[in-house]
Amino acid sequence: MTAENTSVVVTGALGGAGQWTVERLLADGYDVVGLDQRLPADGGPDGADFFQVDLTDQGETTELVTAFDPDAVVHLAAIPDPTNHAGGRVFSNNILSTYNVLDAAGRAGARVVWASSESAYGFPFAHNLLVPDYLPIDESHPLRPEDPYGVSKVAGEAVAAMTARRYGVPVLSVRPSWVQYPGAYQTTSNREAFDLDELAASPAGSSPSGGAGNFWSYIDVRDLASMFSEALTADVTGHEAYLCHAPENYLGVETSELFDALYDDAPPCPIEGDASAFTTEKAERDLGWTAEHTWREAADADVAGPDFG
């Protein structure tokens, strides 16, 4: 698949990551159709058409996706965490919309790239801090979520695999870390408040605040958008999952020191320096993707991002 004369449907197109992804795909030469719960106030960027839709309604979703007959679908729409909504709403919204979108894409014979999450592993929203089986964490690590958001992503990946089997289309599940926006990195306050001694003194098995839930990982939204773009042309068949993380933690502290302080029974940590606890070697190999932006230069960067939501 090449960008020229290639149509891509993007769901959640007016969200933060959605807008950056739409902008990236337009820059790469794709014809973009954006779907969301509302329409952009100013009509949206040139080259993209937008439609209002309830993705939990299978009829609406199938009608629109099949009418466009896209070459690919990038599914980003979701309630992004379990903290501000009832758990049942988070799960039902996310899994219904994912089923409807992916099934419609499969019926249209479209390649699918969709946003799963690192939360599928169960670390970010666990009541008690979970211990990884091994480090660095890769796509084969067991998925053990305790929260409705993480479970919705595990169920979504099952739908992704079903779609690939049933319709014979490639489906790529991207597992992003905590998404950060240039010039407005939320990781900054965590880093400024971090104290290694306080972490070591926290009760065993507790879930200390300040980013420990995903082991101080992150991804710049521009790198996330670039992975979605790279995934559209990758030579992949069936269903595959890919981690999407920056190459280092956002504390600037050696990762092995963090795990020694965080756990009494930390797994062996062969990670050098402040490299991320999650490895993106699979994405580098299969997609030709690497993250380009780090907190050191991006946290205070003056970048004019898209604003058509």
Side-chain angles (χ1 to χ4, degrees):
M1 180 185 295
T2 60
E4 185 176 0
N5 299 319
T6 298
S7 59
V8 182
V9 167
V10 179
T11 72
L14 301 186
Q19 291 187 49
W20 283 88
T21 300
V22 167
E23 185 175 74
R24 172 62 187 253
L25 296 181
L26 289 172
D28 288 346
Y30 290 98
D31 299 324
V32 176
V33 174
L35 303 183
D36 212 306
Q37 299 179 74
R38 55 190 173 82
L39 297 174
D42 60 359
D46 294 339
D49 296 317
F50 291 85
F51 293 82
Q52 187 171 4
V53 62
D54 176 4
L55 295 176
T56 65
D57 185 303
Q58 187 175 26
E60 285 189 28
T61 304
T62 302
E63 178 183 348
L64 284 176
V65 173
T66 55
F68 300 136
D69 192 24
D71 298 294
V73 172
V74 177
H75 175 47
L76 307 181
I79 295 175
D81 67 61
T83 59
N84 296 312
H85 301 84
R89 182 181 178 192
V90 172
F91 181 82
S92 61
N93 175 86
N94 291 357
I95 194 57
L96 279 175
S97 60
T98 298
Y99 177 84
N100 292 341
V101 171
L102 269 59
D103 184 69
R107 292 174 186 272
R111 169 183 288 246
V112 178
V113 182
W114 80 286
S116 182
S117 173
E118 67 179 7
S119 295
Y121 291 103
F123 301 119
F125 299 111
H127 290 294
N128 295 300
L129 194 63
L130 302 180
V131 182
D133 287 8
Y134 56 83
L135 295 168
I137 298 159
D138 60 15
E139 288 81 1
S140 297
H141 190 284
L143 308 178
R144 304 183 183 113
E146 299 177 354
D147 67 281
Y149 177 68
V151 171
S152 77
K153 295 303 182 179
V154 174
E157 291 196 19
V159 171
M162 177 209 73
T163 301
R165 289 191 298 267
R166 182 173 184 178
Y167 298 109
V169 297
V171 183
L172 289 75
S173 297
V174 176
R175 297 174 181 169
S177 187
W178 185 18
V179 181
Q180 303 297 307
Y181 296 84
Y185 266 44
Q186 292 180 289
T187 58
T188 300
S189 59
N190 282 1
R191 183 173 59 258
E192 292 175 346
F194 179 76
D195 185 286
L196 188 63
D197 292 334
E198 288 184 5
L199 178 65
S202 61
S206 66
S207 294
S209 60
N214 76 341
F215 311 125
W216 301 278
S217 299
Y218 72 101
I219 186 66
D220 189 286
V221 68
R222 294 167 291 180
D223 290 322
L224 176 57
S226 75
M227 180 177 280
F228 290 136
S229 182
E230 294 291 349
L232 291 178
T233 58
D235 184 15
V236 174
T237 59
H239 171 248
E240 295 289 345
Y242 294 95
L243 284 164
C244 185
H245 288 61
E248 72 290 296
N249 67 58
Y250 60 75
L251 295 178
V253 177
E254 289 197 7
T255 303
S256 60
E257 292 186 21
L258 294 172
F259 276 90
D260 285 343
L262 190 58
Y263 298 106
D264 292 335
D265 54 349
C269 187
I271 299 169
E272 296 184 1
D274 64 351
S276 175
F278 297 81
T279 176
T280 58
E281 288 184 1
K282 184 180 179 183
E284 294 166 17
R285 181 190 70 236
D286 291 2
L287 310 182
W289 174 90
T290 56
E292 298 180 357
H293 303 284
T294 76
W295 63 268
R296 290 180 172 85
E297 50 85 15
D300 299 317
D302 185 10
V303 177
D307 186 17
F308 52 83

